[in-house]
Amino acid sequence: MSGGAYLSIQDLSVSYGNIKAVKNISFDVMEGEIVTLIGANGAGKSSTLRAISGMLPYSGQIMYKGTSLAKIPADKIVGMGIAQVPEGRGIFGSLTVLENLKLATWQRKDKAEVARDYERVFAIFPRLEERKVQLGGTLSGGEQQMLAVGRALMSRGQMVLLDEPSMGLSPVLVREIFRVIKEINASGTTVLLVEQNANMALRTAQRGYVLETGTIVFSGTGDELLHDTRVREAYLGG
C-alpha cells in the first residue's frame, strides 16, 4: 500500500459536462479509521464517493490497498471489499428485509461466513431481525437506513462508504446510526463518511476534510476541526 494508506486519492477531479464538481483533491484513509468529508450541498462530497465506487468517471488516481481502481467496473470494486451506502438508502422496497440482505451476498461463495454475517447484522440491528419478512418499502426511514448499512456489511465490505446516513432521521435515530458506525468500525471496518451533520461527523471521525465547491479547504483530526473557529462559524453554527 502506498505510504500505508488503505485508500489513497490523488488529484481527483469529477465533472458533469462543463461543471467541475470535484477539483484536484487529494486525501488518504488509513486502515481502521473513520474519516469524514463535510461541507455544504454541492461541495463535491457525494461525487467523490461515487467516483471511488466506480459509478462516475474521473481523472486523477484512486488506489485501494495498493491497486488502482481506474479501469475496474463498479461490481468488481464491491467484490474487492468497498461497499457504498448511497444517499437516499437505495433499498428495494418490493423485497423483504431478508431478500435485500441476501442480494448483497450474490458474489460470495463462503456460505458459512454469510450465515455468520446475518447473525452479525441482526445483532447490530435487532429491529431488522424482527422485521425480516417485512417489505423494505414499509419500513420507517430509520429502519431503511439500518437495512442499507446492513446490506453493505453483508457484501463483506472491508471499507464502507456512507453517504449522508443521518439524512431525514429524528435526533434519536441519528444518535443510533452514529453509535452503529462506531460499532462497525470497532469490529474492523474502515469507514469513509459523507455527512451534513458536521457536529456528529467530527465527533465520530478520527480525521476530517472540509470541502467547498469541489476543493479541500480545511483538514485535521475530528477534534481539531470541531474546535476550529472558521469551521465552527461556517458549518457548526458558531
Side-chain angles (χ1 to χ4, degrees), residues 146-173:
M146 291 172 193
L147 179 53
V149 174
R151 197 174 55 185
L153 296 178
M154 288 305 299
S155 72
R156 193 44 81 89
Q158 295 145 338
M159 177 163 200
V160 174
L161 313 179
L162 287 168
D163 197 351
E164 303 287 5
S166 77
M167 185 180 278
L169 300 184
S170 69
V172 170
L173 282 174

Side-chain angles (χ1 to χ4, degrees), residues 14-236:
V14 177
S15 297
Y16 297 91
N18 294 325
I19 299 165
K20 215 170 186 184
V22 180
K23 304 166 188 170
N24 298 97
I25 67 169
S26 299
F27 66 92
D28 289 337
V29 180
M30 302 299 173
E31 185 173 4
E33 276 192 311
I34 301 175
V35 171
T36 188
L37 306 178
I38 63 170
N41 269 338
K45 308 182 303 295
S46 294
S47 296
T48 300
L49 291 196
R50 293 180 72 205
I52 295 165
S53 58
M55 294 160 66
L56 281 180
Y58 61 87
S59 63
Q61 189 177 64
I62 301 175
M63 303 285 287
Y64 174 61
K65 297 201 279 189
T67 300
S68 170
L69 300 183
K71 293 185 168 64
I72 300 177
D75 61 320
K76 296 288 193 296
I77 290 174
V78 173
M80 292 170 71
I82 296 180
Q84 180 161 0
V85 180
E87 184 183 345
R89 299 161 196 138
I91 64 157
F92 294 94
S94 59
L95 299 181
T96 66
V97 166
L98 205 53
E99 287 166 341
N100 266 280
L101 294 175
K102 191 175 181 180
L103 266 182
T105 69
W106 69 275
Q107 291 196 46
R108 295 180 57 182
K109 305 287 187 282
D110 51 341
K111 286 196 167 54
E113 289 297 318
V114 167
R116 274 193 282 274
D117 285 342
Y118 280 121
E119 289 175 14
R120 178 190 177 203
V121 167
F122 290 142
I124 294 170
F125 299 116
R127 261 181 290 185
L128 291 185
E129 185 166 30
E130 291 164 18
R131 289 160 171 70
K132 62 186 175 187
V133 295
Q134 195 170 319
L135 294 181
T138 65
L139 300 175
S140 70
E143 289 160 355
Q144 288 186 14
Q145 189 61 272
M146 291 172 193
L147 179 53
V149 174
R151 197 174 55 185
L153 296 178
M154 288 305 299
S155 72
R156 193 44 81 89
Q158 295 145 338
M159 177 163 200
V160 174
L161 313 179
L162 287 168
D163 197 351
E164 303 287 5
S166 77
M167 185 180 278
L169 300 184
S170 69
V172 170
L173 282 174
V174 169
R175 286 195 293 275
E176 173 75 358
I177 284 293
F178 276 93
R179 181 193 66 74
V180 166
I181 291 168
K182 286 181 182 172
E183 191 175 319
I184 292 165
N185 176 247
S187 70
T189 303
T190 303
V191 178
L192 180 56
L193 167 69
V194 156
E195 181 54 63
Q196 274 199 292
N197 187 332
N199 214 327
M200 287 294 280
L202 293 175
R203 288 178 191 281
T204 304
Q206 282 92 15
R207 293 188 302 113
Y209 297 88
V210 181
L211 270 71
E212 265 179 29
T213 57
T215 59
I216 292 172
V217 290
F218 303 114
S219 65
T221 67
D223 199 53
E224 284 166 354
L225 293 173
L226 201 56
H227 295 96
D228 186 302
T229 309
R230 299 159 302 176
V231 175
R232 290 195 67 80
E233 287 173 355
Y235 302 101
L236 302 168

